[in-house]
Amino acid sequence: MNDTKTKEVILSGMQPTGSLHVGNLEGALRNWVELQHDYEMYLCIVDWHALTAEYQHPEVLKEQIFQMAVDFLAAGLEPEKCAIFIQSDVKEHLELHWIFSLMISVPTLTRLPTYTEKKDTLDSYAFLGYPVLQAADICVYNAHKVPVGKDQAKHIWLANDLAKRFNNYYGPTLNEPEGLFRKIPLILGSDNRKMSKSYNNHLPIDMTEEETQKRIRTFYTDEKKIRRGDPGRPEQCPVFLLHRVYTPNAEEEVAPPCKTGELGCVDCKKKLTDNLNDALRPIRERRTALMATPDYIWDVLTTGGNKARKRAAEVMDSVRSAMKINYRG
Ligand code: TRP
Ligand code: SF4
């Protein structure tokens, strides 16, 4: 797929939560870094979505967007290959959001799991519309594929459904997007739950090597393995899940001695720390260099926004034409 004209378009998005952790790196970024070579790619830092939770502290967003852009580049995303941009820089997302919001019922939205999980703390009109805005993020680029985690499947389904509805009402206009769910390694946090900044069980990429060592020491291990000599169950241990990603031949070199008791958790964690630090070192070095050039980072986001806006404006023109609301056209 070398010819630009035949490349499919992919779009993905991430909420600007600041610097990334190892779960984001292995769950999303590595995948995006590979995909950027074969697709026309748009990566959106979704500040409007973040505001649904962060509206009382909007001032944190600037730094969090900056940190996220730094991590995207440090992980290997190339701004010449993929447009990295801020959602609110492209006004067309909100225009299509409004149009989509005409075509979906409130009960459909109140039944979606993201809403039911959080509605006790987040019950705003905007939060109810979160997935509608996400559908607009995708369709305003006429994206074909959306590389995301399985947890987003319902949202991608909604985007596909809204594109179909639009096409039924107004004639074929929008691509009907599909999720690109790749197999990703399972990574859990220090407490054996999903790795997440909000649980504070995560391994941020921007930790120092010493901080990484300290954090790994706090990781939960198989509760039955108290000391060296006790047989362990690696498949029950978040440290082993990380070994699978960062230690070559973990199945042969870590799992068997854990099971026999020959390998103790302290040594096992040390080995993981070394391998993880080795893997993250080049990313951390690029990160440090990028942090020193803030103008470059904001330029990347501006250029990405310009490229994104161009495509979004074309799609919105076709949307307005299809609806016959391009009044002067
Ligand atoms: N809801 C997504 C998440 O929490 C973030 C997101 C917003 C997104 N808009 C998107 C992902 C568009 C893919 C495409 O991860
Ligand atoms: Fe986990 Fe390693 Fe301890 Fe086994 S030896 S329980 S894999 S930390």
Side-chain angles (χ1 to χ4, degrees), residues 11-15 46 49 130 134 137-138 146 148 152 155:
L11 174 129
S12 198
M14 205 184 260
Q15 288 203 33
V46 295
H49 280 112
Y130 180 115
Q134 181 166 350
D137 294 340
I138 297 165
V146 190
V148 281
Q152 295 294 311
H155 290 168

Side-chain angles (χ1 to χ4, degrees), residues 221-222 225 232-234 237 239-240 243 254 258 263-265 268-269:
T221 60
D222 177 9
K225 188 170 166 78
R233 295 166 301 175
C237 174
V239 175
F240 183 69
H243 269 298
V254 180
C258 163
L263 178 66
C265 295
C268 181
K269 285 179 167 180

